């Protein structure tokens, strides 16, 4: 088992090892990926991690995620896994921490979505409901009124408990099916279907991920989309290269890291 550790240097070293392992596994099975979010910003802005960032983000095409997950699961003596016990988030982490600091990569899946506004909104509604129903008890504990608002928390908890009527695994399978097969349109635009809810409203052009390149980060060349500016500007604005105010330079709350640590402990206890 590992430990909940807020030593940011130790966390960065663990994330770096996870990212290198992920890159090597992608190379072995011929899968493209891109650093994403704060990890991509850190790579461009600092050639390293953002100093206060304590997790890593990667995006992959849906078909590539399926291929990579199957490869990792079937690879003999592989010490890594995709953790799916916490709902929709594809967390790439170790099978056993063995005293290491808790670290993970959020692997975010891109799926095509229809150009039709009505069809897209209907699909989003179904995905949001299924996502809430699939949450783990640890994730429910991390959702606060301060962060989400009272009404949203009430609806979230109602859907969470409804999830037990249908079975969490059935709901996860339903979410994956809807994401990968419903209202795909002409396959010109995409959305991040297992990301935060607001990400469903951010439509990404397929061409933004038509070309990849290598970029040095923490002394290693990782893969990024060549259209990283368009991707980052959509989420963070045109001034994404400018660091945020000091009061916004914060890591994940301890409760989030503790929740993931608890899930990891339960996983290791079963093995």
């Amino acid at each position: 088992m590992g430990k909940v550790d807020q030593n940011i240097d130790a966390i960065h070293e663990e994330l770096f090892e996870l990212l290198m392992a992920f890159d090597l596994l992608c190379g072995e099975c011929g899968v493209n990926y891109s650093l994403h979010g704060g990890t991509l910003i850190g790579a461009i802005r600092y050639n390293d991690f953002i100093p206060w960032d304590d997790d890593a983000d990667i995006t992959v095409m849906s078909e590539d995620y399926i291929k990579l997950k199957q490869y990792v699961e079937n690879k003999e003596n592989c010490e890594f896994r995709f953790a799916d016990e916490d709902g929709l988030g594809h967390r790439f982490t170790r099978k056993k921490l063995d005293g290491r600091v808790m670290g993970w990569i959020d692997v975010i899946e891109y799926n095509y979505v229809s150009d039709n506004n009505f069809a897209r909104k209907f699909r989003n509604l179904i995905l949001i409901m299924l996502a809430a129903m699939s949450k783990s008890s640890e994730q429910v504990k991390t959702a606060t009124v301060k962060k989400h608002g009272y009404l949203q928390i009430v609806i979230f908890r109602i859907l969470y408990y409804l999830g037990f009527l249908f079975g969490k695994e059935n709901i996860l399978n339903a979410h994956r099916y809807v994401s990968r097969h419903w209202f795909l349109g002409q396959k010109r635009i995409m959305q991040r279907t297992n990301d935060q809810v607001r990400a469903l409203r951010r439509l990404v052009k397929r061409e933004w991920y038509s070309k990849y390149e290598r970029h040095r980060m923490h002394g290693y060349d990782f893969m990024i989309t060549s259209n990283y500016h368009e991707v980052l500007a959509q989420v963070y604005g045109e001034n994404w290269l400018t660091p945020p105010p000091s009061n916004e330079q914060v890591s994940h709350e301890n409760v989030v890291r503790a929740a993931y640590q608890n899930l990891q402990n339960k996983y290791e206890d079963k093995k």
Side-chain angles (χ1 to χ4, degrees), residues 52 243-251:
W52 58 90
S246 57
N247 64 313
E248 296 180 16
Q249 298 178 10
V250 294
S251 304

Side-chain angles (χ1 to χ4, degrees), residues 119-137:
R120 190 168 60 246
K121 285 185 176 181
F122 177 73
R123 187 176 97 152
N124 286 352
L125 177 62
I126 299 299
L127 290 176
I128 290 169
M129 292 175 63
L130 290 171
M133 293 168 73
S134 73
K135 298 300 183 184
S136 66
S137 58

Side-chain angles (χ1 to χ4, degrees), residues 84-85 87-88 126-127 129-135 159 162-180 182:
D84 56 6
E85 65 267 24
L88 300 174
I126 299 299
L127 290 176
M129 292 175 63
L130 290 171
M133 293 168 73
S134 73
K135 298 300 183 184
L159 290 170
L162 278 176
F164 289 99
L165 296 177
F166 300 96
K168 297 293 183 180
E169 189 58 37
N170 292 331
I171 294 168
L172 287 172
N173 288 334
H175 189 283
R176 295 182 188 114
Y177 186 85
V178 172
S179 297
R180 297 167 183 171
W182 280 24

Side-chain angles (χ1 to χ4, degrees), residues 7-267:
N7 183 317
I8 200 67
D9 291 333
I11 292 172
H12 284 173
E13 286 307 311
E14 175 63 6
L15 292 178
F16 178 61
E17 291 188 18
L18 289 171
L19 286 169
M20 284 197 300
F22 189 92
D23 177 77
L24 291 173
L25 289 166
C26 285
E28 290 173 9
C29 64
V31 163
N32 290 328
Y33 70 89
S34 176
L35 301 181
H36 182 69
T39 312
L40 179 54
I41 288 179
I44 304 300
R45 187 191 291 164
Y46 303 106
N47 292 324
D48 208 326
F49 294 101
I50 291 177
W52 58 90
D53 205 6
D54 64 348
D55 73 343
D57 298 298
I58 276 176
T59 53
V60 293
M61 299 298 110
S62 177
E63 58 272 21
D64 283 337
Y65 170 75
I66 295 170
K67 180 180 179 180
L68 178 63
K69 187 172 186 288
Q70 290 176 342
Y71 180 80
V72 170
E73 290 175 345
N74 296 326
K75 183 178 174 64
E76 188 175 355
N77 299 321
C78 184
E79 61 180 289
F80 304 96
R81 70 185 182 104
F82 285 95
D84 56 6
E85 65 267 24
D86 60 331
L88 300 174
H90 308 317
R91 288 190 301 110
F92 181 80
T93 188
R94 296 181 187 272
K95 290 181 178 178
K96 291 186 177 181
L97 296 181
D98 292 328
R100 297 181 182 90
V101 60
M102 183 68 203
W104 68 89
I105 300 172
D106 286 322
V107 183
I108 302 166
E109 184 178 329
Y110 270 122
N111 281 286
Y112 293 109
V113 66
S114 174
D115 304 67
N116 182 277
N117 191 47
F118 176 79
R120 190 168 60 246
K121 285 185 176 181
F122 177 73
R123 187 176 97 152
N124 286 352
L125 177 62
I126 299 299
L127 290 176
I128 290 169
M129 292 175 63
L130 290 171
M133 293 168 73
S134 73
K135 298 300 183 184
S136 66
S137 58
E138 282 80 5
Q139 286 176 308
V140 173
K141 294 174 185 176
T142 65
T144 63
V145 173
K146 181 179 179 181
K147 186 186 297 184
H148 301 284
Y150 183 77
L151 180 60
Q152 188 172 336
I153 290 295
V154 170
I155 296 173
F156 176 78
R157 288 183 177 272
I158 291 173
L159 290 170
Y160 164 73
Y161 287 113
L162 278 176
F164 289 99
L165 296 177
F166 300 96
K168 297 293 183 180
E169 189 58 37
N170 292 331
I171 294 168
L172 287 172
N173 288 334
H175 189 283
R176 295 182 188 114
Y177 186 85
V178 172
S179 297
R180 297 167 183 171
H181 300 285
W182 280 24
F183 304 119
L184 304 184
Q186 298 179 343
K187 296 186 176 182
R188 295 184 301 189
I189 56 175
M190 309 183 297
Q191 59 184 176
R192 298 187 291 276
T193 51
N194 68 316
D195 200 353
Q196 300 177 45
V197 170
R198 61 177 177 267
L200 291 174
R201 295 190 290 269
R202 293 179 178 138
L203 303 179
V204 175
K205 296 179 181 179
R206 179 64 180 92
E207 63 196 58
W208 289 358
Y209 285 89
S210 61
K211 184 179 179 182
Y212 296 83
E213 61 190 61
R214 290 279 176 173
H215 186 87
R216 177 139 296 205
M217 173 184 174
H218 207 69
Y220 187 92
D221 292 332
F222 292 104
M223 191 175 289
I224 65 171
T225 171
S226 297
N227 296 96
Y228 60 84
H229 174 75
E230 288 81 355
V231 173
L232 292 174
Q234 183 194 58
V235 180
Y236 303 100
E238 291 292 331
N239 295 323
W240 58 266
L241 263 176
T242 303
S246 57
N247 64 313
E248 296 180 16
Q249 298 178 10
V250 294
S251 304
H252 280 79
E253 298 175 20
N254 286 342
V255 66
V256 176
R257 300 192 63 79
Y260 283 162
Q261 180 67 66
N262 187 42
L263 287 169
Q264 179 71 21
N265 292 344
K266 289 179 180 179
Y267 171 83

